[in-house]
Amino acid sequence: MPSIRHILRPFFLTVLGLGCLLPNFANAQSSVKTKPGITAQDLTERLAILASDSLEGRLSGERGAEMAARYIASEFKRLGLQTLDTDGYLQHFAFAQRLDTSTVVHFKSTNVVGFLPGSDPTLKNEVVVVGAHYDHLGFGGPYALDPKVHAIHYGADDNASGTAGVLELAEFFSAHPRMLRRSTVFILFSGEEEGLFGSKHYTDNPLIPLNRTRAMINMDMIGRMQADSGLIVEGIGSTPVWRSFMTNLNTPKLFNLHLKEEGLGPSDHLNFYTNKIPVLFFFTGYHPDYHRSTDTKEKINYPGEVKVLELVSRVLVETSNSTDPLPFTQAKEDTTKKAKSWRVWVGGVPDYGYEGEGVRISFITEHSPAEKAGLKKDDVIVGFAGQKIKNIYDYTDALSKHKPEEVVQVEITRGKVNLIIPLTLGSRSESH
């Protein structure tokens, strides 16, 4: 995801037993039509499975996530994708997290990997990775933005929408394999919410060498397309080719594209980018249900997601078939980023589709310092405690210089009006 995830939460781990896997999805699978094609009905049926009560929020390593992995693997098998690992489509991994100064917890989870051979003998040894994470927050916990709510956090947009998208693309291209000259690796990652552990495991233990991986396309939260907003695509600066690809493939115009240079956004593409592989990250934006139990399947814009997947499929075909070089470059924005840590919380979530100067607020978290101070949706932060704010990096830099309970002056534009609003900073621990 874009770097707002670092603003909203630190890494955490909720530890529960793995539990036994509950079979089986035979009845649910039979409802997904066998005729290949990307349709709103297909996505509706897949989201009904992935964002169901039975999967219990798909927390990494828990029963619900393992059930989701088995469902995805069974779909890959039904579609005729090849396996690459010794345990079929399942790539198991372990990760550890430090809960406090004396407690380290070890956890296990599973990536799901399917392989579609390319149609061109001269290019099929190269691969394009298409991925998304399938895990979410289970019944809530410290990552949740409604931490006092003990209920299934369905994660319909985050990220059942991206998971369903990968499955739909796998279904379509497995029925039309000659459309892709290079081979395709479809991966659904776990451990993303805890810190991108599944994709880190894959890039550390690739099932096809990374020097044969031409590009990685990632989808995370692609289910909330709004009529008045655009589609955010990050990673444009990871190769000189992407910008022309996106411009040409968006014709006739499907979206108002917000093309972002950076490749360091904290979703699974980051681990490919840091291995010098060109990446693209598709994202429809944050919303008030993000990391809450209210992120449910009824709120997905299914026709909008079909359009997103149409564009992604065009990108995949172009990337898979192009004979032009796709050299890796480090995005200019990433060379100037500095790792910042901060302890304060504001509660106004930035709008990553905004292309003007400053940081526009996409929504205000309830009971947050921003709400108490009177900040509103669509306010644009242009100054913070005397520091000029031109972009999200200026904003996070400003946050790092202050402490909870400090009163700072926040300069905003609201429509055509400039305002300076005093705001009492909260603690990041309050936001979880």
Side-chain angles (χ1 to χ4, degrees), residues 71-105:
Y71 161 64
I72 295 164
S74 67
E75 283 293 272
F76 282 176
K77 181 177 181 180
R78 180 178 69 84
L79 298 175
L81 298 185
Q82 296 182 13
T83 61
L84 293 173
D85 208 353
T86 55
D87 191 13
Y89 301 101
L90 304 179
Q91 184 191 40
H92 305 291
F93 65 94
F95 60 91
Q97 288 195 312
R98 182 176 294 278
L99 300 184
D100 53 44
T101 56
S102 61
T103 306
V104 176
V105 180

PDB file of all heavy atoms in Angstrom, residues 71-105:
ATOM      1  N   TYR A  71      -8.392 -22.459  -0.931  1.00  0.00           N
ATOM      2  CA  TYR A  71      -9.352 -22.085  -1.978  1.00  0.00           C
ATOM      3  C   TYR A  71      -8.630 -21.557  -3.211  1.00  0.00           C
ATOM      4  O   TYR A  71      -8.913 -21.954  -4.345  1.00  0.00           O
ATOM      5  CB  TYR A  71     -10.323 -21.032  -1.442  1.00  0.00           C
ATOM      6  CG  TYR A  71     -11.035 -20.255  -2.527  1.00  0.00           C
ATOM      7  CD1 TYR A  71     -11.912 -20.889  -3.408  1.00  0.00           C
ATOM      8  CD2 TYR A  71     -10.824 -18.889  -2.690  1.00  0.00           C
ATOM      9  CE1 TYR A  71     -12.549 -20.180  -4.411  1.00  0.00           C
ATOM     10  CE2 TYR A  71     -11.453 -18.173  -3.685  1.00  0.00           C
ATOM     11  CZ  TYR A  71     -12.316 -18.826  -4.543  1.00  0.00           C
ATOM     12  OH  TYR A  71     -12.939 -18.121  -5.538  1.00  0.00           O
ATOM     13  N   ILE A  72      -7.662 -20.661  -3.003  1.00  0.00           N
ATOM     14  CA  ILE A  72      -6.914 -20.100  -4.131  1.00  0.00           C
ATOM     15  C   ILE A  72      -6.170 -21.206  -4.874  1.00  0.00           C
ATOM     16  O   ILE A  72      -6.174 -21.256  -6.115  1.00  0.00           O
ATOM     17  CB  ILE A  72      -5.942 -19.022  -3.622  1.00  0.00           C
ATOM     18  CG1 ILE A  72      -6.721 -17.834  -3.046  1.00  0.00           C
ATOM     19  CG2 ILE A  72      -5.018 -18.551  -4.742  1.00  0.00           C
ATOM     20  CD1 ILE A  72      -5.877 -16.909  -2.180  1.00  0.00           C
ATOM     21  N   ALA A  73      -5.541 -22.111  -4.126  1.00  0.00           N
ATOM     22  CA  ALA A  73      -4.813 -23.220  -4.748  1.00  0.00           C
ATOM     23  C   ALA A  73      -5.748 -24.096  -5.561  1.00  0.00           C
ATOM     24  O   ALA A  73      -5.404 -24.552  -6.668  1.00  0.00           O
ATOM     25  CB  ALA A  73      -4.098 -24.049  -3.678  1.00  0.00           C
ATOM     26  N   SER A  74      -6.952 -24.345  -5.037  1.00  0.00           N
ATOM     27  CA  SER A  74      -7.898 -25.174  -5.784  1.00  0.00           C
ATOM     28  C   SER A  74      -8.357 -24.487  -7.064  1.00  0.00           C
ATOM     29  O   SER A  74      -8.603 -25.144  -8.077  1.00  0.00           O
ATOM     30  CB  SER A  74      -9.101 -25.530  -4.910  1.00  0.00           C
ATOM     31  OG  SER A  74      -9.882 -24.383  -4.612  1.00  0.00           O
ATOM     32  N   GLU A  75      -8.439 -23.163  -7.026  1.00  0.00           N
ATOM     33  CA  GLU A  75      -8.775 -22.423  -8.247  1.00  0.00           C
ATOM     34  C   GLU A  75      -7.641 -22.504  -9.261  1.00  0.00           C
ATOM     35  O   GLU A  75      -7.879 -22.687 -10.463  1.00  0.00           O
ATOM     36  CB  GLU A  75      -9.085 -20.959  -7.903  1.00  0.00           C
ATOM     37  CG  GLU A  75     -10.451 -20.754  -7.310  1.00  0.00           C
ATOM     38  CD  GLU A  75     -11.546 -21.038  -8.314  1.00  0.00           C
ATOM     39  OE1 GLU A  75     -11.948 -20.127  -9.055  1.00  0.00           O
ATOM     40  OE2 GLU A  75     -11.998 -22.209  -8.377  1.00  0.00           O
ATOM     41  N   PHE A  76      -6.405 -22.349  -8.800  1.00  0.00           N
ATOM     42  CA  PHE A  76      -5.280 -22.494  -9.720  1.00  0.00           C
ATOM     43  C   PHE A  76      -5.287 -23.887 -10.370  1.00  0.00           C
ATOM     44  O   PHE A  76      -5.012 -24.026 -11.569  1.00  0.00           O
ATOM     45  CB  PHE A  76      -3.963 -22.277  -8.971  1.00  0.00           C
ATOM     46  CG  PHE A  76      -3.621 -20.836  -8.704  1.00  0.00           C
ATOM     47  CD1 PHE A  76      -2.493 -20.510  -7.951  1.00  0.00           C
ATOM     48  CD2 PHE A  76      -4.389 -19.795  -9.202  1.00  0.00           C
ATOM     49  CE1 PHE A  76      -2.149 -19.187  -7.706  1.00  0.00           C
ATOM     50  CE2 PHE A  76      -4.061 -18.467  -8.959  1.00  0.00           C
ATOM     51  CZ  PHE A  76      -2.935 -18.170  -8.204  1.00  0.00           C
ATOM     52  N   LYS A  77      -5.591 -24.887  -9.583  1.00  0.00           N
ATOM     53  CA  LYS A  77      -5.642 -26.248 -10.124  1.00  0.00           C
ATOM     54  C   LYS A  77      -6.764 -26.372 -11.148  1.00  0.00           C
ATOM     55  O   LYS A  77      -6.580 -26.965 -12.227  1.00  0.00           O
ATOM     56  CB  LYS A  77      -5.832 -27.257  -9.000  1.00  0.00           C
ATOM     57  CG  LYS A  77      -5.860 -28.699  -9.482  1.00  0.00           C
ATOM     58  CD  LYS A  77      -5.973 -29.674  -8.316  1.00  0.00           C
ATOM     59  CE  LYS A  77      -5.977 -31.111  -8.815  1.00  0.00           C
ATOM     60  NZ  LYS A  77      -6.077 -32.080  -7.678  1.00  0.00           N
ATOM     61  N   ARG A  78      -7.929 -25.824 -10.824  1.00  0.00           N
ATOM     62  CA  ARG A  78      -9.063 -25.887 -11.756  1.00  0.00           C
ATOM     63  C   ARG A  78      -8.740 -25.204 -13.072  1.00  0.00           C
ATOM     64  O   ARG A  78      -9.156 -25.661 -14.146  1.00  0.00           O
ATOM     65  CB  ARG A  78     -10.287 -25.228 -11.110  1.00  0.00           C
ATOM     66  CG  ARG A  78     -11.543 -25.240 -11.989  1.00  0.00           C
ATOM     67  CD  ARG A  78     -12.724 -24.625 -11.279  1.00  0.00           C
ATOM     68  NE  ARG A  78     -12.582 -23.191 -11.090  1.00  0.00           N
ATOM     69  CZ  ARG A  78     -12.893 -22.288 -12.025  1.00  0.00           C
ATOM     70  NH1 ARG A  78     -13.345 -22.673 -13.215  1.00  0.00           N
ATOM     71  NH2 ARG A  78     -12.772 -21.008 -11.769  1.00  0.00           N
ATOM     72  N   LEU A  79      -7.962 -24.125 -13.013  1.00  0.00           N
ATOM     73  CA  LEU A  79      -7.621 -23.371 -14.208  1.00  0.00           C
ATOM     74  C   LEU A  79      -6.478 -23.995 -14.992  1.00  0.00           C
ATOM     75  O   LEU A  79      -6.151 -23.535 -16.081  1.00  0.00           O
ATOM     76  CB  LEU A  79      -7.250 -21.933 -13.820  1.00  0.00           C
ATOM     77  CG  LEU A  79      -8.366 -21.127 -13.140  1.00  0.00           C
ATOM     78  CD1 LEU A  79      -7.842 -19.767 -12.691  1.00  0.00           C
ATOM     79  CD2 LEU A  79      -9.568 -20.972 -14.061  1.00  0.00           C
ATOM     80  N   GLY A  80      -5.851 -25.025 -14.430  1.00  0.00           N
ATOM     81  CA  GLY A  80      -4.779 -25.715 -15.131  1.00  0.00           C
ATOM     82  C   GLY A  80      -3.430 -25.048 -15.031  1.00  0.00           C
ATOM     83  O   GLY A  80      -2.523 -25.358 -15.820  1.00  0.00           O
ATOM     84  N   LEU A  81      -3.254 -24.151 -14.060  1.00  0.00           N
ATOM     85  CA  LEU A  81      -1.936 -23.552 -13.871  1.00  0.00           C
ATOM     86  C   LEU A  81      -0.955 -24.603 -13.356  1.00  0.00           C
ATOM     87  O   LEU A  81      -1.333 -25.539 -12.653  1.00  0.00           O
ATOM     88  CB  LEU A  81      -2.002 -22.392 -12.876  1.00  0.00           C
ATOM     89  CG  LEU A  81      -2.869 -21.190 -13.258  1.00  0.00           C
ATOM     90  CD1 LEU A  81      -2.718 -20.091 -12.221  1.00  0.00           C
ATOM     91  CD2 LEU A  81      -2.529 -20.659 -14.647  1.00  0.00           C
ATOM     92  N   GLN A  82       0.297 -24.464 -13.703  1.00  0.00           N
ATOM     93  CA  GLN A  82       1.321 -25.396 -13.263  1.00  0.00           C
ATOM     94  C   GLN A  82       1.817 -25.033 -11.868  1.00  0.00           C
ATOM     95  O   GLN A  82       1.700 -23.885 -11.423  1.00  0.00           O
ATOM     96  CB  GLN A  82       2.488 -25.401 -14.249  1.00  0.00           C
ATOM     97  CG  GLN A  82       2.122 -25.909 -15.634  1.00  0.00           C
ATOM     98  CD  GLN A  82       3.318 -25.935 -16.568  1.00  0.00           C
ATOM     99  OE1 GLN A  82       4.465 -25.800 -16.157  1.00  0.00           O
ATOM    100  NE2 GLN A  82       3.058 -26.113 -17.862  1.00  0.00           N
ATOM    101  N   THR A  83       2.368 -26.014 -11.168  1.00  0.00           N
ATOM    102  CA  THR A  83       2.954 -25.781  -9.854  1.00  0.00           C
ATOM    103  C   THR A  83       4.458 -25.561  -9.992  1.00  0.00           C
ATOM    104  O   THR A  83       5.085 -26.018 -10.942  1.00  0.00           O
ATOM    105  CB  THR A  83       2.705 -26.976  -8.924  1.00  0.00           C
ATOM    106  OG1 THR A  83       3.331 -28.134  -9.491  1.00  0.00           O
ATOM    107  CG2 THR A  83       1.216 -27.248  -8.778  1.00  0.00           C
ATOM    108  N   LEU A  84       5.019 -24.866  -9.011  1.00  0.00           N
ATOM    109  CA  LEU A  84       6.455 -24.596  -9.002  1.00  0.00           C
ATOM    110  C   LEU A  84       7.132 -25.070  -7.727  1.00  0.00           C
ATOM    111  O   LEU A  84       8.359 -25.172  -7.689  1.00  0.00           O
ATOM    112  CB  LEU A  84       6.715 -23.088  -9.164  1.00  0.00           C
ATOM    113  CG  LEU A  84       6.330 -22.459 -10.507  1.00  0.00           C
ATOM    114  CD1 LEU A  84       6.480 -20.946 -10.433  1.00  0.00           C
ATOM    115  CD2 LEU A  84       7.170 -23.025 -11.641  1.00  0.00           C
ATOM    116  N   ASP A  85       6.369 -25.352  -6.676  1.00  0.00           N
ATOM    117  CA  ASP A  85       6.952 -25.717  -5.396  1.00  0.00           C
ATOM    118  C   ASP A  85       6.703 -27.189  -5.098  1.00  0.00           C
ATOM    119  O   ASP A  85       5.880 -27.844  -5.753  1.00  0.00           O
ATOM    120  CB  ASP A  85       6.362 -24.849  -4.278  1.00  0.00           C
ATOM    121  CG  ASP A  85       7.316 -24.665  -3.113  1.00  0.00           C
ATOM    122  OD1 ASP A  85       8.375 -25.317  -3.110  1.00  0.00           O
ATOM    123  OD2 ASP A  85       7.004 -23.869  -2.203  1.00  0.00           O
ATOM    124  N   THR A  86       7.383 -27.690  -4.088  1.00  0.00           N
ATOM    125  CA  THR A  86       7.266 -29.110  -3.748  1.00  0.00           C
ATOM    126  C   THR A  86       5.921 -29.450  -3.140  1.00  0.00           C
ATOM    127  O   THR A  86       5.488 -30.594  -3.198  1.00  0.00           O
ATOM    128  CB  THR A  86       8.379 -29.504  -2.765  1.00  0.00           C
ATOM    129  OG1 THR A  86       8.319 -28.637  -1.621  1.00  0.00           O
ATOM    130  CG2 THR A  86       9.747 -29.388  -3.422  1.00  0.00           C
ATOM    131  N   ASP A  87       5.246 -28.477  -2.556  1.00  0.00           N
ATOM    132  CA  ASP A  87       3.919 -28.701  -1.982  1.00  0.00           C
ATOM    133  C   ASP A  87       2.854 -28.104  -2.887  1.00  0.00           C
ATOM    134  O   ASP A  87       2.009 -27.317  -2.461  1.00  0.00           O
ATOM    135  CB  ASP A  87       3.820 -28.111  -0.574  1.00  0.00           C
ATOM    136  CG  ASP A  87       2.552 -28.560   0.156  1.00  0.00           C
ATOM    137  OD1 ASP A  87       1.897 -29.512  -0.324  1.00  0.00           O
ATOM    138  OD2 ASP A  87       2.215 -27.956   1.191  1.00  0.00           O
ATOM    139  N   GLY A  88       2.906 -28.453  -4.148  1.00  0.00           N
ATOM    140  CA  GLY A  88       1.907 -27.970  -5.092  1.00  0.00           C
ATOM    141  C   GLY A  88       1.998 -26.472  -5.269  1.00  0.00           C
ATOM    142  O   GLY A  88       3.064 -25.914  -5.543  1.00  0.00           O
ATOM    143  N   TYR A  89       0.853 -25.804  -5.090  1.00  0.00           N
ATOM    144  CA  TYR A  89       0.804 -24.354  -5.270  1.00  0.00           C
ATOM    145  C   TYR A  89       1.211 -23.594  -4.009  1.00  0.00           C
ATOM    146  O   TYR A  89       1.283 -22.367  -4.035  1.00  0.00           O
ATOM    147  CB  TYR A  89      -0.617 -23.936  -5.666  1.00  0.00           C
ATOM    148  CG  TYR A  89      -1.106 -24.579  -6.948  1.00  0.00           C
ATOM    149  CD1 TYR A  89      -1.974 -25.666  -6.917  1.00  0.00           C
ATOM    150  CD2 TYR A  89      -0.681 -24.111  -8.189  1.00  0.00           C
ATOM    151  CE1 TYR A  89      -2.417 -26.268  -8.094  1.00  0.00           C
ATOM    152  CE2 TYR A  89      -1.111 -24.706  -9.366  1.00  0.00           C
ATOM    153  CZ  TYR A  89      -1.983 -25.781  -9.312  1.00  0.00           C
ATOM    154  OH  TYR A  89      -2.406 -26.376 -10.474  1.00  0.00           O
ATOM    155  N   LEU A  90       1.456 -24.286  -2.919  1.00  0.00           N
ATOM    156  CA  LEU A  90       1.655 -23.642  -1.627  1.00  0.00           C
ATOM    157  C   LEU A  90       3.140 -23.472  -1.326  1.00  0.00           C
ATOM    158  O   LEU A  90       3.909 -24.420  -1.350  1.00  0.00           O
ATOM    159  CB  LEU A  90       0.992 -24.462  -0.523  1.00  0.00           C
ATOM    160  CG  LEU A  90      -0.501 -24.746  -0.721  1.00  0.00           C
ATOM    161  CD1 LEU A  90      -1.036 -25.582   0.432  1.00  0.00           C
ATOM    162  CD2 LEU A  90      -1.299 -23.450  -0.868  1.00  0.00           C
ATOM    163  N   GLN A  91       3.520 -22.249  -1.055  1.00  0.00           N
ATOM    164  CA  GLN A  91       4.883 -21.930  -0.631  1.00  0.00           C
ATOM    165  C   GLN A  91       4.824 -21.498   0.835  1.00  0.00           C
ATOM    166  O   GLN A  91       4.404 -20.391   1.163  1.00  0.00           O
ATOM    167  CB  GLN A  91       5.498 -20.814  -1.477  1.00  0.00           C
ATOM    168  CG  GLN A  91       6.955 -20.531  -1.121  1.00  0.00           C
ATOM    169  CD  GLN A  91       7.494 -19.262  -1.766  1.00  0.00           C
ATOM    170  OE1 GLN A  91       6.797 -18.253  -1.849  1.00  0.00           O
ATOM    171  NE2 GLN A  91       8.746 -19.303  -2.225  1.00  0.00           N
ATOM    172  N   HIS A  92       5.241 -22.384   1.719  1.00  0.00           N
ATOM    173  CA  HIS A  92       5.149 -22.120   3.145  1.00  0.00           C
ATOM    174  C   HIS A  92       6.325 -21.267   3.606  1.00  0.00           C
ATOM    175  O   HIS A  92       7.430 -21.360   3.070  1.00  0.00           O
ATOM    176  CB  HIS A  92       5.122 -23.430   3.931  1.00  0.00           C
ATOM    177  CG  HIS A  92       4.024 -24.356   3.496  1.00  0.00           C
ATOM    178  ND1 HIS A  92       2.696 -24.085   3.729  1.00  0.00           N
ATOM    179  CD2 HIS A  92       4.051 -25.540   2.840  1.00  0.00           C
ATOM    180  CE1 HIS A  92       1.946 -25.064   3.245  1.00  0.00           C
ATOM    181  NE2 HIS A  92       2.759 -25.961   2.691  1.00  0.00           N
ATOM    182  N   PHE A  93       6.091 -20.454   4.605  1.00  0.00           N
ATOM    183  CA  PHE A  93       7.167 -19.646   5.168  1.00  0.00           C
ATOM    184  C   PHE A  93       6.866 -19.354   6.628  1.00  0.00           C
ATOM    185  O   PHE A  93       5.741 -19.511   7.101  1.00  0.00           O
ATOM    186  CB  PHE A  93       7.351 -18.339   4.388  1.00  0.00           C
ATOM    187  CG  PHE A  93       6.176 -17.384   4.467  1.00  0.00           C
ATOM    188  CD1 PHE A  93       6.147 -16.366   5.415  1.00  0.00           C
ATOM    189  CD2 PHE A  93       5.108 -17.497   3.586  1.00  0.00           C
ATOM    190  CE1 PHE A  93       5.087 -15.482   5.489  1.00  0.00           C
ATOM    191  CE2 PHE A  93       4.036 -16.620   3.649  1.00  0.00           C
ATOM    192  CZ  PHE A  93       4.020 -15.608   4.597  1.00  0.00           C
ATOM    193  N   ALA A  94       7.887 -18.956   7.326  1.00  0.00           N
ATOM    194  CA  ALA A  94       7.753 -18.579   8.730  1.00  0.00           C
ATOM    195  C   ALA A  94       8.309 -17.171   8.905  1.00  0.00           C
ATOM    196  O   ALA A  94       9.189 -16.734   8.170  1.00  0.00           O
ATOM    197  CB  ALA A  94       8.505 -19.562   9.621  1.00  0.00           C
ATOM    198  N   PHE A  95       7.760 -16.463   9.878  1.00  0.00           N
ATOM    199  CA  PHE A  95       8.320 -15.157  10.209  1.00  0.00           C
ATOM    200  C   PHE A  95       8.212 -14.949  11.713  1.00  0.00           C
ATOM    201  O   PHE A  95       7.455 -15.623  12.402  1.00  0.00           O
ATOM    202  CB  PHE A  95       7.628 -14.032   9.442  1.00  0.00           C
ATOM    203  CG  PHE A  95       6.143 -13.894   9.677  1.00  0.00           C
ATOM    204  CD1 PHE A  95       5.649 -13.061  10.674  1.00  0.00           C
ATOM    205  CD2 PHE A  95       5.235 -14.581   8.878  1.00  0.00           C
ATOM    206  CE1 PHE A  95       4.301 -12.916  10.877  1.00  0.00           C
ATOM    207  CE2 PHE A  95       3.866 -14.438   9.066  1.00  0.00           C
ATOM    208  CZ  PHE A  95       3.395 -13.602  10.075  1.00  0.00           C
ATOM    209  N   ALA A  96       9.017 -14.035  12.197  1.00  0.00           N
ATOM    210  CA  ALA A  96       9.045 -13.749  13.626  1.00  0.00           C
ATOM    211  C   ALA A  96       8.833 -12.265  13.845  1.00  0.00           C
ATOM    212  O   ALA A  96       9.261 -11.437  13.037  1.00  0.00           O
ATOM    213  CB  ALA A  96      10.383 -14.184  14.233  1.00  0.00           C
ATOM    214  N   GLN A  97       8.160 -11.955  14.952  1.00  0.00           N
ATOM    215  CA  GLN A  97       7.964 -10.562  15.315  1.00  0.00           C
ATOM    216  C   GLN A  97       8.243 -10.374  16.795  1.00  0.00           C
ATOM    217  O   GLN A  97       7.933 -11.238  17.620  1.00  0.00           O
ATOM    218  CB  GLN A  97       6.543 -10.106  14.994  1.00  0.00           C
ATOM    219  CG  GLN A  97       6.290  -9.949  13.500  1.00  0.00           C
ATOM    220  CD  GLN A  97       5.024  -9.160  13.252  1.00  0.00           C
ATOM    221  OE1 GLN A  97       3.997  -9.440  13.842  1.00  0.00           O
ATOM    222  NE2 GLN A  97       5.103  -8.183  12.378  1.00  0.00           N
ATOM    223  N   ARG A  98       8.812  -9.236  17.112  1.00  0.00           N
ATOM    224  CA  ARG A  98       9.062  -8.884  18.507  1.00  0.00           C
ATOM    225  C   ARG A  98       7.878  -8.084  19.022  1.00  0.00           C
ATOM    226  O   ARG A  98       7.583  -6.979  18.531  1.00  0.00           O
ATOM    227  CB  ARG A  98      10.346  -8.079  18.632  1.00  0.00           C
ATOM    228  CG  ARG A  98      10.698  -7.715  20.079  1.00  0.00           C
ATOM    229  CD  ARG A  98      12.045  -7.005  20.154  1.00  0.00           C
ATOM    230  NE  ARG A  98      13.124  -7.898  19.774  1.00  0.00           N
ATOM    231  CZ  ARG A  98      13.684  -8.785  20.585  1.00  0.00           C
ATOM    232  NH1 ARG A  98      13.242  -8.912  21.832  1.00  0.00           N
ATOM    233  NH2 ARG A  98      14.669  -9.548  20.157  1.00  0.00           N
ATOM    234  N   LEU A  99       7.176  -8.637  20.006  1.00  0.00           N
ATOM    235  CA  LEU A  99       6.022  -7.955  20.562  1.00  0.00           C
ATOM    236  C   LEU A  99       6.423  -6.903  21.592  1.00  0.00           C
ATOM    237  O   LEU A  99       5.758  -5.878  21.741  1.00  0.00           O
ATOM    238  CB  LEU A  99       5.072  -8.964  21.205  1.00  0.00           C
ATOM    239  CG  LEU A  99       4.496 -10.039  20.270  1.00  0.00           C
ATOM    240  CD1 LEU A  99       3.498 -10.894  21.013  1.00  0.00           C
ATOM    241  CD2 LEU A  99       3.873  -9.419  19.034  1.00  0.00           C
ATOM    242  N   ASP A 100       7.494  -7.161  22.308  1.00  0.00           N
ATOM    243  CA  ASP A 100       8.030  -6.194  23.253  1.00  0.00           C
ATOM    244  C   ASP A 100       9.509  -6.523  23.441  1.00  0.00           C
ATOM    245  O   ASP A 100      10.080  -7.328  22.696  1.00  0.00           O
ATOM    246  CB  ASP A 100       7.253  -6.202  24.578  1.00  0.00           C
ATOM    247  CG  ASP A 100       7.161  -7.599  25.190  1.00  0.00           C
ATOM    248  OD1 ASP A 100       8.191  -8.321  25.195  1.00  0.00           O
ATOM    249  OD2 ASP A 100       6.080  -7.974  25.664  1.00  0.00           O
ATOM    250  N   THR A 101      10.140  -5.927  24.428  1.00  0.00           N
ATOM    251  CA  THR A 101      11.584  -6.097  24.579  1.00  0.00           C
ATOM    252  C   THR A 101      11.992  -7.520  24.925  1.00  0.00           C
ATOM    253  O   THR A 101      13.149  -7.898  24.729  1.00  0.00           O
ATOM    254  CB  THR A 101      12.110  -5.150  25.675  1.00  0.00           C
ATOM    255  OG1 THR A 101      11.388  -5.407  26.889  1.00  0.00           O
ATOM    256  CG2 THR A 101      11.918  -3.701  25.265  1.00  0.00           C
ATOM    257  N   SER A 102      11.052  -8.320  25.398  1.00  0.00           N
ATOM    258  CA  SER A 102      11.411  -9.671  25.836  1.00  0.00           C
ATOM    259  C   SER A 102      10.671 -10.788  25.115  1.00  0.00           C
ATOM    260  O   SER A 102      10.935 -11.955  25.371  1.00  0.00           O
ATOM    261  CB  SER A 102      11.157  -9.807  27.348  1.00  0.00           C
ATOM    262  OG  SER A 102       9.786  -9.609  27.646  1.00  0.00           O
ATOM    263  N   THR A 103       9.750 -10.435  24.213  1.00  0.00           N
ATOM    264  CA  THR A 103       8.898 -11.454  23.599  1.00  0.00           C
ATOM    265  C   THR A 103       9.047 -11.457  22.084  1.00  0.00           C
ATOM    266  O   THR A 103       8.768 -10.446  21.430  1.00  0.00           O
ATOM    267  CB  THR A 103       7.414 -11.230  23.955  1.00  0.00           C
ATOM    268  OG1 THR A 103       7.276 -11.152  25.376  1.00  0.00           O
ATOM    269  CG2 THR A 103       6.558 -12.381  23.426  1.00  0.00           C
ATOM    270  N   VAL A 104       9.511 -12.570  21.552  1.00  0.00           N
ATOM    271  CA  VAL A 104       9.561 -12.770  20.110  1.00  0.00           C
ATOM    272  C   VAL A 104       8.647 -13.943  19.778  1.00  0.00           C
ATOM    273  O   VAL A 104       8.745 -15.003  20.403  1.00  0.00           O
ATOM    274  CB  VAL A 104      10.994 -13.065  19.620  1.00  0.00           C
ATOM    275  CG1 VAL A 104      11.004 -13.370  18.125  1.00  0.00           C
ATOM    276  CG2 VAL A 104      11.899 -11.887  19.930  1.00  0.00           C
ATOM    277  N   VAL A 105       7.748 -13.754  18.813  1.00  0.00           N
ATOM    278  CA  VAL A 105       6.777 -14.777  18.460  1.00  0.00           C
ATOM    279  C   VAL A 105       7.053 -15.267  17.042  1.00  0.00           C
ATOM    280  O   VAL A 105       7.293 -14.468  16.135  1.00  0.00           O
ATOM    281  CB  VAL A 105       5.340 -14.235  18.556  1.00  0.00           C
ATOM    282  CG1 VAL A 105       4.340 -15.315  18.186  1.00  0.00           C
ATOM    283  CG2 VAL A 105       5.073 -13.729  19.963  1.00  0.00           C
TER     284      VAL A 105
END
